[in-house]
Amino acid sequence: MFERLVDHLACHGDDPAILTQDRTVTYRALADEVSARASELGTRRKLVLLETRNDLTTLVTYLAALAGHHVVLPVPDGGDHTAVIDAYRPDVIVRDGVLTHRHRGIHDLHPDLALLLSTSGSTGSPKLVRLSRFNLAANAESIATYLDIGRSDRAATTLPMSYCYGLSVIHSHLLRGAAIILTERSVVDDAFWELFRAHRGTTFAGVPHTFDLLDRIGFDDTCRSGGLPHLRYVTQAGGRLSPERVRSLADLAGATGFDFFVMYGATEATARMAYLPPRLARDHPESIGVPIPGGTFRIEPVDGMPDGTGELFYRGPNVMMGYAHGLDDLALAGDVDELRTGDIARLRGDGLYEVVGRRDRFVKLYGLRIDLQRVEAALHTDDVTAICTDGDGLLLVAAAQRPDGCDVASAAAEASGLPRAAVRVVDVDEIPRLPTGKPDYRSLRELAAERTPASDAALDLRGLFADVLQIDAGDIDPGQSFVDLGGNSLSYVAMSVRLEQELGHLPADWQRLPLRELESTQKTRRWWGTTVETSVALRAAAIVLVVGSHAELWVLWGGAHILLGVAGYNFGRFCLVPLPRATRARHLRSTIAWIAVPSIVWVAFALLVTDDYTASNLLLANKFLGPDDSMTAGRLWFVEVIVWVLVALALVCWSPLGDRMERRWPFGFAVAFLALGMALRWDVFGLGLGRAAWFTVLAFWFFAIGWAASKATTASQRLAVTAVLAIGVVGYFGNPNREALVFVGLALLIWLPAIRCPSACTVVAGLIAEASLFTYLTHYQVYPLFGEHTLAGVIAAVVVGILLTRLVTWARRWIRLRLHAPVRTAAAPARR
């Protein structure tokens, strides 16, 4: 394949090779694009540094470089590659698809050399693995053999192309004429699974962190409900997965019909050295399995180890040519016959190999191979006295001395390539040491388990999450997101505003990012202001319009219908999230309760002191039970619509069928309900409710517009939702101004994720939006108190809503603290 790459691609003709969101590229077309790109690179052999993304341009450039017999050095997109560039002086740098020619004629490249890969993740180390065409071909053939890859397979790119595991997926599938589903999306994104299903995906690869993410989105439930009908096999490598997780995935695979392959490898072996046959995963989850076809293991005894246990060595055609530390090494021939893995392993009686530990000080975290010695050296360069180890999936650093103002966690994160939240710093007076004087890494792990370091930035956002969501900070897992922790449409306003203040910006889809990822986000401060989510701004503006119109300060009707669309938007974002069905149901129940309970309490209070409501209002059922001729009959219509719509949709989405359909077709499912809403709007069923339908559950289609907008992931989908909005709103109220206001508000919701404004405006909008429910409930009783002073009445109504919201938040916090307060006993008296 790699000797005549273009011919190999072309021989598969019109079979699909690359599948993206917008394109299907056949093998013949791919061969043409690769050939054209190869012409741009030229015929003289070059060293090509390629900044990689999982997109078609990157893949074509990578294949073109191989086809032209150039040497490719893939690196992650957007990183600092200064050390590598300075060490190897590449002839060509490809960034964002643009070729930049730098040096000419300075490289002596060995004829067999094809690929250079980092052994240390993204640490920027100039130490690289030299791989030949023969290495790539042998490993791809071996992997394709034991996975039995065929032309009908469709593999999704879940790993970066700069990573040997990610490249091995591409190599092995292109070798067999299979297709690649090319995407940058994460497995937690609905759009990833939409694309995977649309292209009949049969496989994807994952590192341990991938399977942590899959747990969060209810992957087990999706598989068991038939949500991935074409899934044939799943592979795992890039670090050790716990035996319990291997066993559970093997059980899932056996129950739902796909194969689960646990694999073992290293960049120095091109990618793979061993695999565990799926039939053995359930009973032998701690094993790495057997050598891949063409490879062999041997175990060399190590002093102090039991018989049969020692260092694992691997031999096979995929073993690297050797390491490169600088430019001159690129001319060297292969000098490695056998790979010393550095792992301590044993061969069991059943013929399976098992790794029991590491001999060197490399660890794998977040799919990256981290050189702990290199991190320590970097810290020492910064005048930090520290040692490093790993524990509980984190990089642990014991720091004894540091310069004033030195952020040890940030320095360690930079040196390791890990996100800052993956680093835990333990402050110590002296570095813990063994009697021999060597560092005591075990003590460091124990100290980390006992302490919660004050310098750990994770505590900042953890405390913020705990405060907004009214939960204990100690119960928050850094791998959880806002929606995982029960965040909903009522708490997201406060969270988004405070997160914006903390970070200086709101990352895209922040509500579904793990806490550790939010903590690793670069803080920014912009003098020209901050951003506020459009849904927050609309919520604030709409409730002010509602109160002012009711008080007759102005006549700008339509705010409540905008709020209805925002409610649907938040329903899609915070209730229909990729979590298990039971968790979704719990989130829905919580959301309904936080609307219904305060509404019922306020109506009960109003019944005692006013004549504004009737018993049917107390049940939030005035529109069902009447009376429909009273002056206040329509005052709570918006709350009634929201509550009963949510109840109905909760029942639909709680059902296994509804849950399965929504997960499989999130946008299509929302559009189906939008179609139902439009049918009601146009009275397709002949109900003849007339203009009164404005203020009943038949206004559901506004909610459905927001719901569909939240699930629209492409411009064409947003255009379709906008078109339906335009068709539905024209003539709906019989008032062009009202219709225009509602259209503009909901169009902004569809197309504009955030609005930039002065920081003070963001805070004010957040306060008003967060208080919109209490403002809506109470304003009818507040503004009349001010008689003809309507402006004062409107302001007072908004202020009362804000104060009530603050009061409820304070009460929740007080109750939570009281419930978790320590119990005093006679044996442990209180201190005075």
Side-chain angles (χ1 to χ4, degrees):
M1 167 181 168
F2 293 99
E3 285 301 320
R4 300 180 61 83
L5 181 55
V6 173
D7 290 343
H8 169 82
L9 297 174
C11 78
H12 291 289
D14 293 327
D15 287 350
I18 307 300
L19 307 167
T20 71
Q21 182 73 41
D22 305 312
R23 293 184 62 186
T24 296
V25 182
T26 66
Y27 269 92
R28 193 189 317 278
L30 179 61
D32 291 341
E33 291 196 35
V34 169
S35 179
R37 191 64 158 172
S39 297
E40 294 181 45
L41 288 170
T43 56
R44 182 181 61 81
R45 284 191 84 205
K46 301 177 180 67
L47 174 60
V48 180
L49 185 140
L50 173 62
E51 290 198 359
T52 62
R53 291 195 295 260
N54 286 341
D55 59 22
L56 186 58
T57 300
T58 299
L59 180 58
V60 167
T61 303
Y62 172 71
L63 295 175
L66 292 181
H69 288 246
H70 304 291
V71 178
V72 192
L73 201 174
V75 295
D77 175 56
D80 182 3
H81 311 301
T82 304
V84 172
I85 292 172
D86 290 346
Y88 293 97
R89 303 176 67 194
D91 300 287
V92 176
I93 294 178
V94 184
R95 184 177 289 125
D96 295 327
V98 178
L99 277 62
T100 303
H101 294 268
R102 292 168 55 90
H103 305 288
R104 296 182 179 276
I106 64 169
H107 294 99
D108 184 6
L109 304 173
H110 191 276
D112 295 337
L113 185 60
L115 185 64
L116 296 169
L117 290 175
S118 172
T119 65
S120 52
S122 58
T123 63
S125 169
K127 180 182 178 180
L128 302 175
V129 171
R130 296 182 290 126
L131 299 173
S132 68
R133 275 176 167 56
F134 183 59
N135 294 149
L136 301 183
N139 203 236
E141 178 61 41
S142 179
I143 293 170
T145 297
Y146 70 75
L147 294 180
D148 192 25
I149 298 173
R151 293 172 63 183
S152 62
D153 278 312
R154 306 284 184 266
T157 53
T158 50
L159 302 167
M161 267 191 246
S162 56
Y163 180 26
C164 66
Y165 189 7
L167 280 179
S168 73
V169 173
I170 292 171
H171 294 162
S172 56
H173 284 78
L174 292 182
L175 175 68
R176 292 295 177 87
I180 305 296
I181 303 173
L182 202 55
T183 176
E184 283 267 275
R185 297 280 188 177
S186 165
V187 294
V188 300
D189 290 341
D190 291 339
F192 173 88
W193 296 108
E194 286 183 44
L195 187 67
F196 192 81
R197 294 187 188 97
H199 290 308
R200 297 171 170 260
T202 63
T203 180
F204 63 90
V207 297
H209 183 54
T210 308
F211 294 94
D212 291 340
L213 296 176
L214 291 176
D215 279 345
R216 291 176 43 225
I217 64 171
F219 178 70
D220 287 25
D221 291 343
T222 300
C223 290
R224 294 183 190 278
S225 64
L228 298 173
H230 304 287
L231 184 63
R232 190 173 74 80
Y233 67 93
V234 175
T235 63
Q236 182 271 320
R240 183 177 182 269
L241 204 61
S242 71
E244 294 77 16
R245 190 69 180 108
V246 171
R247 186 176 287 113
S248 67
L249 284 165
D251 287 340
L252 176 66
T256 56
F258 68 88
D259 288 330
F260 179 58
F261 287 85
V262 175
M263 306 189 301
Y264 168 78
T267 307
E268 290 87 343
T270 309
R272 295 292 145 257
M273 292 182 282
Y275 74 100
L276 182 62
R279 69 180 187 279
L280 302 178
R282 173 66 180 79
D283 296 326
H284 306 285
E286 68 288 336
S287 171
I288 63 170
V290 297
I292 64 172
T296 59
F297 283 129
R298 76 175 179 88
I299 293 177
E300 183 173 287
V302 174
D303 291 342
M305 291 289 176
D307 290 343
T309 300
E311 186 167 3
L312 188 65
F313 284 74
Y314 172 80
R315 185 183 294 268
N318 53 317
V319 172
M320 66 176 177
M321 298 174 67
Y323 291 112
H325 299 273
L327 200 58
D328 293 341
D329 295 331
L330 304 186
L332 300 178
D335 57 1
V336 181
D337 295 323
E338 188 177 51
L339 179 63
R340 180 175 188 168
T341 69
D343 285 319
I344 304 299
R346 65 188 183 96
L347 176 60
R348 307 186 326 187
D350 55 12
L352 301 178
Y353 285 84
E354 180 183 348
V355 172
V356 298
R358 289 289 297 171
R359 184 163 186 165
D360 56 25
R361 295 205 58 232
F362 283 89
V363 296
K364 278 197 173 179
L365 298 171
Y366 289 63
L368 301 178
R369 193 179 183 199
I370 309 299
D371 183 348
L372 297 176
Q373 189 62 44
R374 180 180 174 82
V375 178
E376 289 180 0
L379 292 174
H380 292 165
T381 300
D382 292 336
D383 296 325
V384 179
T385 303
I387 61 170
C388 304
T389 188
D390 66 313
D392 295 328
L394 300 173
L395 175 63
L396 306 179
V397 181
Q401 295 179 356
R402 72 184 78 179
D404 291 340
C406 176
D407 186 340
V408 177
S410 294
E414 181 178 357
S416 63
L418 291 168
R420 190 184 188 282
V423 180
R424 173 166 293 172
V425 177
V426 179
D427 291 313
V428 294
D429 294 329
E430 294 183 356
I431 296 297
R433 297 189 182 276
L434 298 169
T436 59
K438 294 181 179 180
D440 186 351
Y441 297 108
R442 181 176 178 178
S443 291
L444 171 52
R445 292 189 183 96
E446 292 172 350
L447 284 170
E450 295 170 0
R451 299 185 187 181
T452 303
S455 61
D456 191 344
L459 291 178
D460 295 335
L461 287 192
R462 191 180 285 118
L464 178 59
F465 270 52
D467 187 48
V468 172
L469 296 174
Q470 296 297 296
I471 57 179
D472 288 329
D475 295 335
I476 297 177
D477 185 333
Q480 294 178 297
S481 68
F482 177 73
V483 293
D484 294 334
L485 293 166
N488 55 33
S489 59
L490 302 173
S491 53
Y492 95 97
V493 176
M495 190 72 231
S496 65
V497 172
R498 293 182 62 179
L499 194 61
E500 163 76 27
Q501 292 172 338
E502 179 68 25
L503 298 178
H505 69 292
L506 281 176
D509 208 23
W510 64 266
Q511 70 275 7
R512 287 168 56 185
L513 293 178
L515 178 61
R516 63 166 63 96
E517 196 167 328
L518 284 174
E519 289 165 341
S520 67
T521 301
Q522 181 67 38
K523 289 188 177 183
T524 59
R525 289 288 180 261
R526 300 183 175 94
W527 64 268
W528 61 89
T530 57
T531 57
V532 59
E533 288 195 357
T534 301
S535 60
V536 174
L538 286 175
R539 195 160 150 179
I543 192 62
V544 171
L545 290 178
V546 167
V547 176
S549 296
H550 285 162
E552 299 182 357
L553 179 62
W554 50 63
V555 181
L556 290 171
W557 298 107
H561 290 81
I562 293 175
L563 285 175
L564 203 54
V566 172
Y569 185 75
N570 290 329
F571 170 75
R573 294 172 77 202
F574 299 106
C575 295
L576 299 184
V577 291
L579 292 172
R581 185 161 61 97
T583 306
R584 273 186 169 187
R586 187 169 63 252
H587 286 189
L588 277 165
R589 288 197 304 270
S590 174
T591 299
I592 293 169
W594 274 106
I595 298 173
V597 172
S599 301
I600 292 170
V601 170
W602 180 256
V603 170
F605 171 76
L607 281 172
L608 293 175
V609 300
T610 74
D611 297 324
D612 289 347
Y613 298 116
T614 66
S616 63
N617 292 118
L618 192 62
L619 300 175
L620 302 181
N622 175 264
K623 287 298 180 182
F624 300 118
L625 304 178
D628 55 10
D629 59 350
S630 70
M631 181 181 66
T632 60
R635 284 190 170 183
L636 297 179
W637 77 269
F638 173 77
V639 174
E640 291 187 11
V641 169
I642 290 295
V643 169
W644 292 110
V645 163
L646 287 176
V647 168
L649 290 177
L651 293 174
V652 170
C653 295
W654 176 79
S655 69
L657 177 61
D659 180 76
R660 184 162 61 249
M661 292 179 66
E662 198 285 327
R663 290 182 191 276
R664 185 175 298 185
W665 303 293
F667 179 70
F669 195 72
V671 167
F673 277 89
L674 176 56
L676 172 63
M678 292 298 291
L680 294 172
R681 180 259 184 270
W682 292 104
D683 198 21
V684 172
F685 305 115
L687 300 178
L689 295 179
R691 298 173 70 85
W694 292 356
F695 307 115
T696 70
V697 291
L698 297 188
F700 163 71
W701 73 272
F702 289 100
F703 182 97
I705 282 284
W707 178 7
S710 74
K711 297 300 182 182
T713 57
T714 66
S716 60
Q717 290 175 344
R718 286 189 284 272
L719 279 171
V721 176
T722 307
V724 174
L725 170 63
I727 293 169
V729 79
V730 171
Y732 184 75
F733 301 107
N735 182 329
N737 292 335
R738 186 175 187 177
E739 291 159 6
L741 177 67
V742 174
F743 177 82
V744 170
L746 295 183
L748 288 173
L749 187 69
I750 296 168
W751 289 99
L752 190 63
I755 300 170
R756 181 158 295 284
C757 59
S759 300
C761 293
T762 299
V763 174
V764 172
L767 286 172
I768 296 174
E770 185 183 5
S772 58
L773 174 62
F774 286 98
T775 301
Y776 188 90
L777 290 174
T778 62
H779 78 281
Y780 292 108
Q781 285 74 46
V782 174
Y783 73 78
L785 299 176
F786 291 81
E788 296 181 357
H789 302 288
T790 53
L791 176 59
V794 169
I795 294 173
V798 173
V799 170
V800 167
I802 293 172
L803 292 177
L804 275 176
T805 302
R806 296 290 94 196
L807 178 63
V808 170
T809 301
W810 174 85
R812 289 179 64 199
R813 185 181 296 116
W814 182 83
I815 292 171
R816 178 171 62 88
L817 292 174
R818 292 285 294 178
L819 290 175
H820 292 84
V823 179
R824 292 172 179 166
T825 67
R831 290 186 179 180
R832 292 175 179 253

